[in-house]
Amino acid sequence: LKQAAHRFVVTQRERVIVGGAMVLPTVQARFVLAKRPEGNFREGEHLVFEQSARLPEVNEGQVLIRNLYMSLDPALRPQMSIRTYVEPVPVGGPMRATTVGEVVVAAGGLQEGEIVMGLGGWQEYYIADVKDVRRVLLPHGAPIQAALGILGITGITAYFGLLRVGAAIAGETVVVSGAAGATGSVAAQIAKHVLGCTVVGIAGGTKK
């Protein structure tokens, strides 16, 4: 997946203004799940790059989002094959991913140019109901891509899992399984540098 994602360079197509009206894009680049992997993943067989996929029309009450940043999470690999905590990625549809993007066509209180987050997938644009996206609100100076990591679900899971569920306190020893992962590494840092705990991290091997 990582190699495939590196090939996905979002082409920033110009917005064309004709008679004062913006002409919206009709095609886009995207990655599509063509076949469920059974074993090793192979680009071009399971995940196919489409250079000029048709972009559907935007209906009333929907927004059109131009993706700026997209996630590449380990959890995406099993979602290509089986049901996990969510349904698997539909065959023939764009590869699933959480994205941060800019509103191109606004609706429902959102304004053009606002930055939002949603399940935009590995594609240049996506269309969503207003209820399925949310504004990205970050501290001043924080990069918007942080909403996909430390200031997003990764950081939230680590913070509340450690402080609310685990109820860790200063001076305790905290054992973090999956310490090399996104959430585990944040939890370890919070435990050590914020709470002052002794941290033991478990990873999958010596390199991690």
Side-chain angles (χ1 to χ4, degrees), residues 44-196:
E45 177 181 346
H46 302 113
L47 200 61
V48 175
F49 180 70
E50 296 182 347
Q51 180 65 47
S52 299
R54 180 180 173 274
L55 191 65
E57 293 185 2
V58 184
N59 296 322
E60 184 177 354
Q62 293 183 319
V63 289
L64 175 65
I65 310 297
R66 180 172 67 93
N67 282 330
L68 301 175
Y69 296 94
M70 58 194 67
S71 64
L72 176 58
D73 304 307
L76 297 178
R77 173 57 187 88
Q79 290 178 27
M80 297 172 70
S81 302
I82 61 173
R83 189 187 190 285
T84 55
Y85 55 90
V86 294
E87 293 297 326
V89 178
V91 173
M95 184 59 197
R96 179 182 294 150
T98 304
T99 63
V100 169
E102 175 189 12
V103 176
V104 177
V105 175
L110 292 174
Q111 303 298 317
E112 182 179 332
E114 279 195 278
I115 303 300
V116 297
M117 176 184 289
L119 285 175
W122 287 9
Q123 53 191 347
E124 288 183 274
Y125 296 88
Y126 73 102
I127 297 169
D129 294 336
V130 174
K131 64 179 178 61
D132 293 330
V133 299
R134 63 181 179 86
R135 290 182 175 92
V136 172
L137 302 174
L138 297 172
H140 177 71
I144 59 174
Q145 61 266 35
L148 295 174
I150 189 66
L151 297 179
I153 191 65
T154 296
I156 291 171
T157 302
Y159 181 89
F160 287 99
L162 183 66
L163 299 180
R164 296 291 180 86
V165 179
I169 59 176
E172 290 186 326
T173 296
V174 174
V175 178
V176 181
S177 62
T183 300
S185 61
V186 174
Q189 297 302 314
I190 293 174
K192 179 179 179 181
H193 297 294
V194 177
L195 296 180

